[in-house]
């Protein structure tokens, strides 16, 4: 088979992942956590409020009473925001998924083809690359995780003086469609350490490689200048100052090592269980005492993957606390995220292990393992995985919110809302200004003010109190009766019997209405006037609209 035909087939197979989104449109099911509840709305809000190109001192007007800095979001030089400027949010989301997964396939295939150098036929490298492109990575990460094989292929080309122009172009373009702090910085750190050791051992210096490396870092810092400014020069204390420094004991950290090894992290799942881990157990036993080059490569990757899980788990070990408390950067920046390299490593390791089995003439094993991993990843497609959750259209419920806005009958600029039992992102998506929300960071003073609203509920729940006080990026009107759950759909109703929020404080920070996905039995007692219940056949929600009374006593 010709190479171009093979690559084209691989790209078509890769696109199977997004086919449900293409065929079903907004009726498709996609990830809600750190996706529909946040990033998609952030991009849409930046576009709708003309905030993309605002200054370093500007805030985004519609979120958290307008106190959130523009610098809390991606810069105007990040490619994903260009898609949301050019297309509707759902179309932009699907296009982004297509871009990332096609380049994930290309990167892994090229890396395995040119540098793994196995005895197994190229079609198996293609198969592994397609599986890698199907992994359920965090959608707004762009090429931060799935682009690593392509970056590594480009860097190794430059190291070996091959395809310099193509590789330089890849380094340039990927920089505009990935996040420096959410993956790439950790990849580049490992890349530098590995190649610096090679240079020392060989007494050499690859000038082009290091020039390309430094230029890419500089480019990332320029692209993400807003983040750099917020971390180094913004003086106002933010919610990041309250971030938990870690409280896991020794044995809790040990458990976290194996949890990460088996299940991965929610932002970079490789779906290594059970197939790849089973392969690891079989081949790991076979190569344990082997001394050939192939065995050494497998063992090296095995230990590297384990080491990343070890680092991730012990980053949250309480023994770090004295250092974290004295060094602000260590407390506010998550250095545990070297685990973002694991999807690339798991599939590179999978390929090397399959090649080892191929050499032992265990070819039926190879095919069975690949088929099994294919079936597992089919089950991790979002359309199947999230089939019991609201679809994109049902989640955002635009028609229902149009009814709510018509009932209120005021310009959305004249009032703000809060939500309970549902994500504030839903109101934000539909053009409402909110006093609550989910953001990367915001002024610490606002966190203090908002805490007064929910203090009564936090006092009832140690879990919610710790969740808000030691992190707090979800600035939500919590209820101890509902817990850390925000999908109280019309089929899942749990009335709140005794809501202990300070509605006077809620009104003081700017809220006029409260949108509740469940009924509040003591609404009148806490100063909430029931207005109307809204339902829509295309919506997942049954929304009660409460108005915060004009004159009420401060309640705890």
């Amino acid at each position: 088979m010709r190479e171009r035909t093979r690559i084209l087939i691989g790209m078509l197979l890769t696109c199977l992942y997004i086919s449900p989104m293409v065929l079903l449109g907004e009726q498709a099911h996609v990830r809600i956590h750190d996706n529909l509840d946040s990033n998609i709305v952030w991009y849409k809000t930046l576009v709708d409020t003309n905030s993309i190109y605002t200054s370093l001192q500007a805030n985004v007007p519609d979120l958290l009473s307008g106190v959130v800095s523009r610098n809390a979001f991606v810069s105007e030089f990040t490619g994903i925001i260009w898609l949301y400027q050019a297309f509707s949010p759902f179309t932009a989301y699907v296009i982004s998924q297509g871009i990332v997964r096609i380049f994930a396939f290309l990167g892994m295939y090229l890396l395995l083809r040119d540098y793994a150098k196995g005895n197994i036929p190229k079609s198996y490298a293609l198969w592994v690359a397609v599986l890698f492109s199907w992994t359920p990575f965090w959608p707004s990460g762009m090429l931060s995780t799935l682009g690593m094989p392509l970056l590594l292929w480009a860097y190794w080309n430059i190291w070996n003086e091959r395809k310099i122009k193509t590789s330089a172009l890849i380094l340039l373009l990927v920089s505009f469609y990935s996040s420096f702090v959410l993956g790439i910085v950790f990849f580049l750190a490992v890349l530098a350490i590995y190649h610096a050791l090679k240079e020392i051992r060989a007494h050499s210096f690859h000038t082009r490689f290091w020039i390309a490396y430094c230029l890419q870092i500089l480019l990332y810092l320029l692209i993400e200048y807003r983040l750099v400014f917020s971390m180094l020069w913004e003086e106002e204390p933010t919610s990041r100052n309250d971030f938990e420094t870690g409280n896991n004991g020794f044995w809790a950290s040990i458990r976290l090592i194996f949890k990460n090894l088996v299940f991965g992290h929610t932002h970079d799942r490789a779906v290594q269980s059970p197939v790849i881990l089973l392969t690891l157990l079989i081949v790991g036993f076979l190569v344990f005492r082997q001394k050939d080059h192939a065995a050494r490569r497998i063992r090296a990757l095995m230990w590297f993957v384990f080491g990343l899980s070890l680092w991730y788990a012990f980053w949250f070990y309480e023994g770090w606390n004295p250092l974290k408390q004295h060094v602000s950067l260590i407390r506010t920046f998550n250095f545990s995220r070297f685990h973002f390299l694991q999807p690339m490593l798991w599939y590179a390791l999978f390929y090397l292990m399959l090649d080892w089995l191929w050499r032992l003439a265990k070819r039926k094993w190879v095919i069975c393992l690949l088929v099994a991993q294919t079936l597992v990843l089919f089950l991790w497609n979002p359309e199947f995985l999230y089939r019991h959750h609201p679809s994109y259209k049902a989640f955002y419920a635009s028609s229902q919110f149009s009814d709510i806005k018509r009932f209120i009958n005021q310009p959305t600029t004249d009032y703000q809302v809060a939500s309970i039992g549902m994500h504030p992102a839903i109101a934000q998506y539909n053009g409402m200004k909110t006093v609550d929300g989910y953001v990367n960071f915001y002024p610490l003073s606002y966190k203090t003010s908002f805490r007064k609203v929910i203090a009564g509920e936090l006092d009832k729940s140690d879990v919610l109190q710790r969740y808000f006080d030691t992190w707090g990026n979800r600035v939500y009107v919590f209820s101890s009766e509902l817990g850390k759950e925000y999908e109280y759909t019309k089929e899942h109703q749990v009335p709140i019997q005794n809501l202990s929020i300070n509605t006077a404080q809620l009104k003081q920070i700017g809220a006029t209405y409260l949108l509740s996905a469940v009924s509040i039995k003591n609404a009148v007692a806490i100063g909430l006037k029931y207005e109307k219940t809204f339902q829509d056949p295309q919506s997942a929600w049954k929304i009660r609209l409460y108005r915060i009374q004009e004159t009420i006593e401060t309640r705890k």
Side-chain angles (χ1 to χ4, degrees):
M1 185 186 299
R2 293 179 57 187
E3 184 68 357
R4 288 186 179 180
T5 303
R6 183 182 290 111
I7 290 175
L8 179 61
I9 291 172
M11 292 172 67
L12 291 174
L13 291 172
T14 296
C15 288
L16 286 175
Y17 183 91
I18 64 170
S19 59
M21 292 180 245
V22 174
L23 296 173
L24 297 175
E26 293 189 6
Q27 299 293 346
H29 296 82
V30 299
R31 174 179 172 138
I32 293 175
H33 176 66
D34 284 353
N35 193 38
L36 295 185
D37 66 354
S38 49
N39 292 79
I40 289 176
V41 170
W42 296 347
Y43 306 141
K44 184 178 185 296
T45 300
L46 290 176
V47 173
D48 291 347
T49 60
N50 297 313
S51 298
I52 295 175
Y53 302 103
T54 53
S55 71
L56 288 167
Q57 287 72 38
N59 292 339
V60 179
D62 287 4
L63 307 178
L64 275 63
S65 298
V67 302
V68 182
S69 171
R70 169 65 183 87
N71 304 328
F73 307 103
V74 297
S75 86
E76 57 269 39
F77 301 115
T78 305
I80 196 167
I81 200 68
W82 303 338
L83 293 178
Y84 282 80
Q85 282 182 283
F87 303 99
S88 69
F90 183 78
T91 302
Y93 179 80
V94 175
I95 292 173
S96 180
Q97 287 280 289
I99 291 171
V100 170
R101 295 189 181 280
I102 286 172
F103 283 99
F105 159 73
L106 288 172
M108 182 58 79
Y109 176 68
L110 293 173
L111 182 66
L112 297 178
R113 185 196 69 182
D114 293 351
Y115 293 103
K117 298 187 183 303
N119 293 336
I120 198 168
K122 288 183 179 179
S123 57
Y124 291 89
L126 181 140
W127 196 340
V128 172
V130 169
L131 296 180
F132 173 73
S133 75
W134 286 358
T135 54
F137 81 111
W138 175 50
S140 290
M142 300 171 282
L143 286 167
S144 305
T145 301
L146 295 195
M148 287 182 187
L150 187 61
L151 284 176
L152 185 58
W153 179 76
Y155 271 115
W156 280 355
N157 286 343
I158 295 171
W159 179 272
N160 292 292
E161 301 288 338
R162 299 173 52 195
K163 303 177 181 176
I164 300 297
K165 291 182 179 179
T166 300
S167 300
L169 181 62
I170 287 170
L171 299 186
L172 174 67
L173 294 179
V174 170
S175 300
F176 287 94
Y177 212 77
S178 55
S179 170
F180 186 56
V181 296
L182 295 175
I184 296 298
V185 64
F186 306 101
F187 167 81
L188 291 175
V190 171
L191 187 77
I193 293 170
Y194 174 75
H195 289 90
L197 292 174
K198 289 193 69 172
E199 298 279 41
I200 292 169
R201 289 172 181 169
H203 302 287
S204 61
F205 189 80
H206 291 69
T207 305
R208 282 184 174 176
F209 175 89
W210 293 109
I211 289 175
Y213 181 86
C214 292
L215 287 176
Q216 189 177 37
I217 290 179
L218 178 60
L219 180 58
Y220 269 116
L221 295 177
L222 291 173
I223 291 171
E224 303 204 25
Y225 75 99
R226 292 184 180 275
L227 179 64
V228 173
F229 178 84
S230 72
M231 295 192 71
L232 298 181
W233 291 293
E234 278 192 343
E235 297 181 355
E236 182 180 17
T238 70
S239 55
R240 288 187 297 208
N241 295 89
D242 267 359
F243 281 2
E244 183 182 68
T245 54
N247 68 327
N248 286 348
F250 178 78
W251 291 111
S253 300
I254 295 295
R255 286 194 298 271
L256 188 56
I257 293 172
F258 292 99
K259 180 181 178 181
N260 182 256
L261 273 174
V262 174
F263 301 110
H265 188 276
T266 182
H267 287 158
D268 53 32
R269 293 197 189 279
V271 194
Q272 65 269 28
S273 299
V275 177
I276 298 178
L277 279 177
L278 176 63
T279 311
L280 179 63
L281 291 174
I282 296 171
V283 177
F285 176 79
L286 294 174
V287 305
F288 185 71
R289 295 187 180 277
Q290 299 291 327
K291 296 182 179 180
D292 59 277
H293 179 64
R296 288 199 304 270
R297 286 199 302 177
I298 291 173
R299 286 199 301 270
L301 280 183
M302 287 167 55
W303 284 113
F304 189 27
V305 169
F306 178 81
L308 294 180
S309 292
L310 177 71
W311 173 261
Y312 166 71
F314 273 89
W315 180 255
F316 302 103
Y317 175 54
E318 60 189 5
W320 282 95
N321 286 351
L323 179 62
K324 291 180 178 179
Q325 289 166 0
H326 287 88
V327 182
S328 176
L329 180 62
I330 298 178
R331 185 173 66 254
T332 59
F333 186 77
N334 190 347
F335 283 92
S336 73
R337 288 172 170 162
F338 282 93
H339 59 75
F340 278 101
L341 280 77
Q342 286 183 321
M344 175 180 68
L345 297 175
W346 275 118
Y347 282 85
L349 180 59
F350 189 41
Y351 176 80
L352 293 178
M353 293 188 297
L354 294 176
D355 181 63
W356 178 270
L357 293 172
W358 189 271
R359 294 182 186 191
L360 297 180
K362 305 294 185 181
R363 300 183 179 182
K364 290 184 179 179
W365 288 24
V366 170
I367 295 172
C368 288
L369 289 168
L370 282 167
V371 169
Q373 184 65 7
T374 302
L375 294 175
V376 169
L377 284 168
F378 266 126
L379 299 179
W380 277 81
N381 185 279
E383 188 57 41
F384 184 82
L385 187 64
Y386 303 117
R387 64 193 184 281
H388 299 306
H389 295 266
S391 68
Y392 182 99
K393 188 180 185 69
F395 180 83
Y396 284 129
S398 294
S399 176
Q400 186 177 25
F401 270 81
S402 294
D403 292 341
I404 295 172
K405 287 185 285 185
R406 276 194 296 270
F407 177 83
I408 293 174
N409 196 28
Q410 297 178 50
T412 54
T413 54
D414 291 352
Y415 62 90
Q416 295 188 100
V417 303
S419 301
I420 189 167
M422 57 194 293
H423 293 284
I426 300 167
Q428 293 162 1
Y429 185 92
N430 288 287
M432 286 182 163
K433 298 174 69 174
T434 67
V435 299
D436 50 354
Y438 179 15
V439 293
N440 288 321
F441 63 88
Y442 55 100
L444 188 58
S445 58
Y446 191 81
K447 182 178 182 180
T448 302
S449 295
F450 197 89
R451 196 190 189 285
K452 295 176 183 178
V453 175
I454 58 175
E457 289 299 316
L458 298 186
D459 289 342
K460 298 178 188 178
S461 169
D462 291 339
V463 172
L464 290 177
Q465 185 178 77
R466 183 172 187 80
Y467 185 60
F468 185 78
D469 288 346
T470 63
W471 186 57
N473 283 4
R474 288 194 190 272
V475 192
Y476 283 21
V477 180
F478 290 112
S479 163
S480 59
E481 296 176 41
L482 302 183
K484 286 170 55 179
E485 186 177 343
Y486 324 107
E487 288 182 39
Y488 287 91
T489 63
K490 54 191 175 186
E491 288 84 19
H492 177 40
Q493 291 289 293
V494 179
I496 300 174
Q497 301 298 328
N498 183 28
L499 182 63
S500 301
I501 63 170
N502 187 332
T503 51
Q505 178 67 14
L506 186 59
K507 189 169 187 66
Q508 185 174 335
I509 63 177
T512 305
Y513 295 98
L514 179 67
L515 305 172
S516 181
V518 297
S519 63
I520 303 172
K521 297 301 184 181
N522 65 327
V524 174
I526 61 172
L528 295 174
K529 180 187 176 184
Y530 171 76
E531 296 280 344
K532 187 179 179 180
T533 297
F534 296 84
Q535 297 193 71
D536 187 281
Q538 294 183 316
S539 166
W541 317 104
K542 183 179 180 180
I543 301 175
R544 289 85 171 169
L545 178 67
Y546 294 93
R547 186 181 184 96
I548 302 171
Q549 298 287 59
E550 292 294 332
T551 305
I552 54 178
E553 296 179 4
T554 301
R555 297 173 174 84
K556 294 184 180 181

